[in-house]
């Protein structure tokens, strides 16, 4: 099982905070470092405020060497698909081919209202996401020297030169995720290299993987995408250390530690392994961005056990 670190930065985190966490993750041997894409805290005053996801990823691309990097998930409402494709291709170049692109439909209404970003109804947002995925992958797969055109309901491109090009070919891995029962699995079958179920219990996680497998079979896709899960984790050497991490998280954010993985390193390993039993090939462990001791503990006492079980 591959294990990555995920940080939710909407509560406030400077670039330096995130760099410190990313470098700690790299030193601890984790496969990747991913962050959320939000511009507004979901509780409290937001501290120093969230940084822009793609500017942060560009910086991390130059200051790390082995980590896979990406957003989990980038909101399709924040950027046009062509400009996202250009920026992401540049980050892939800057990282030497270590970028992965998580893309979602967007959902946080208060965030959109605060910054004047249109938020269409849910069905229309999924239509936007579908066209964005078609454009981004289409641009990246256009043969060198040719132009890309797209005539959709929401986006139109005319003679786009499809430059710059990402290092990874045919393109950086695309991550799609969510709990939707129909459209989300269908989009995953069409576009995803990885399908992620965020912060769900074992039953729902297994159910979503089954829906994606069924959508792949119905569409004729020979192999389903890599299956992954995001898990909130609160690990400690003692019960007091575990409680401290849970309480600290609850006081800092409205994001629930629902279905959280908690306990000693051995207990955490056993809980994560159950997600592997229902199909997860990769997990993202959500930790507080400024708790590098937690990252180091997970890297030394949890990561080796999960790797041994692969």
């Amino acid at each position: 099982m591959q294990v990555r670190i995920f940080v939710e930065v909407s509560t406030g985190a400077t670039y330096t905070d995130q760099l410190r966490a990313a470098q700690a993750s790299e030193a601890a041997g984790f496969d990747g470092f991913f962050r959320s894409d939000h511009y507004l805290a979901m509780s409290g005053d937001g501290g120093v405020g969230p940084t822009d996801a793609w500017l942060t990823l560009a910086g991390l691309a130059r200051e790390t060497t082995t980590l896979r990097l990406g957003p989990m998930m980038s909101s399709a409402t924040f950027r046009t698909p062509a400009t996202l494709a250009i920026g992401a291709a540049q980050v892939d170049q800057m990282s030497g081919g270590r970028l992965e692109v998580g893309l979602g439909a967007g959902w946080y209404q208060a965030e959109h209202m605060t910054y004047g970003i249109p938020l269409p109804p849910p069905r229309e947002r999924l239509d936007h996401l579908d066209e964005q995925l078609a454009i981004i992958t289409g641009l990246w797969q256009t043969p060198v020297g040719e132009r890309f055109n797209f005539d959709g309901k929401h986006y139109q491109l005319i003679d786009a030169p499809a430059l710059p090009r990402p290092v990874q070919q045919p393109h950086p891995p695309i991550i799609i995720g969510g709990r939707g029962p129909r459209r989300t699995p269908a989009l995953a079958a069409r576009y995803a290299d990885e399908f992620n179920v965020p912060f769900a219990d074992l039953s729902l996680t297994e159910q979503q993987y089954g829906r994606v497998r069924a959508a792949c079979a119905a569409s004729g896709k020979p192999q389903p995408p890599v299956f992954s899960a995001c898990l909130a984790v609160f690990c400690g050497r003692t019960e007091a250390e575990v409680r401290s991490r849970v309480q600290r998280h609850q006081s800092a954010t409205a994001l629930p530690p629902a279905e959280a993985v908690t306990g000693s390193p051995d207990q955490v390993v056993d809980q994560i392994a159950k997600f592997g039993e229902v199909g997860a090939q990769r997990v993202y462990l959500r930790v507080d961005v400024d708790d590098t001791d937690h990252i180091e503990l997970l890297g030394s006492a949890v990561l080796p056990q999960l790797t041994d079980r692969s």
Side-chain angles (χ1 to χ4, degrees):
M1 179 180 286
Q2 291 181 322
V3 187
R4 296 173 169 178
I5 293 295
F6 167 77
V7 293
E8 169 56 62
V9 298
S10 68
T11 53
T14 66
Y15 174 74
T16 300
D17 295 331
Q18 294 167 78
L19 175 61
R20 186 181 301 113
Q23 291 178 333
S25 301
E26 187 166 69
F30 287 100
D31 178 72
F33 182 84
F34 284 65
R35 56 150 287 166
S36 60
D37 184 13
H38 285 295
Y39 288 119
L40 186 68
M42 295 166 204
S43 66
D45 63 6
V48 298
T51 55
D52 181 86
W54 284 96
L55 288 175
T56 300
L57 290 168
L60 296 179
R62 303 302 294 174
E63 297 195 79
T64 59
T65 58
T66 61
L67 291 171
R68 304 294 295 179
L69 299 166
M72 184 69 77
M73 301 286 187
S74 214
S75 176
T77 57
F78 290 170
R79 305 161 188 91
T80 65
T83 55
L84 177 57
I86 290 168
Q90 186 172 356
V91 173
D92 195 48
Q93 292 177 359
M94 294 169 72
S95 69
R98 292 183 285 121
L99 177 69
E100 303 192 9
V101 181
L103 190 62
W107 62 274
Y108 187 24
Q109 186 175 27
E111 175 176 57
H112 290 74
M113 293 176 63
T114 296
Y115 289 110
I117 303 169
L119 183 68
R123 183 188 297 266
E124 187 178 334
R125 292 204 297 272
L126 286 168
D127 292 341
H128 278 254
L129 177 60
D130 193 342
E131 290 193 15
Q132 288 221 354
L133 289 162
I135 290 168
I136 291 168
T137 56
L139 283 166
W140 285 342
Q141 294 180 97
T142 297
V144 175
E146 296 187 14
R147 302 280 175 144
F148 177 76
N149 292 275
F150 186 85
D151 186 15
K153 180 178 179 181
H154 302 287
Y155 303 101
Q156 296 80 40
L157 278 68
I158 301 172
D159 289 339
L163 296 171
R165 294 303 179 107
V167 172
Q168 299 174 88
Q169 293 298 319
H171 54 72
I174 301 292
I175 306 171
I176 294 174
R179 305 181 183 187
R182 292 180 297 275
R183 291 283 304 271
T184 299
L187 287 173
R190 289 178 62 190
Y191 298 109
D193 299 290
E194 176 182 334
F195 180 75
N196 180 270
V197 181
F199 309 112
D201 62 23
L202 281 167
S203 177
L204 179 55
T205 299
E206 184 176 24
Q207 184 179 52
Q208 281 298 87
Y209 293 163
R211 287 168 173 163
V212 173
R213 288 191 189 97
C216 289
S219 67
K221 187 173 183 176
Q223 292 289 335
V226 171
F227 289 128
S228 67
C230 281
L231 304 171
V233 61
F234 303 99
C235 184
R237 302 167 186 86
T238 65
E239 291 184 9
E241 189 175 353
V242 174
R243 286 196 301 272
S244 175
R245 287 200 162 102
V246 172
Q247 293 167 357
R248 184 167 176 252
H249 176 83
Q250 290 175 329
S251 67
T253 177
L255 290 170
E259 310 306 337
V261 173
T262 64
S264 68
D266 288 348
Q267 291 171 326
V268 164
V269 168
D270 289 341
Q271 292 169 67
I272 294 173
K274 293 183 185 300
F275 284 85
E277 292 170 5
V278 301
Q281 299 154 280
R282 181 179 293 154
V283 292
Y284 296 78
L285 305 182
R286 186 177 80 195
V287 302
D288 290 335
V289 67
D290 57 352
D291 193 352
T292 55
D293 178 67
H294 198 190
I295 294 172
E296 291 163 4
L297 173 62
L298 292 168
S300 63
V302 171
L303 179 60
Q305 295 191 63
L306 292 173
T307 302
D308 289 343
R309 293 189 183 205
S310 298

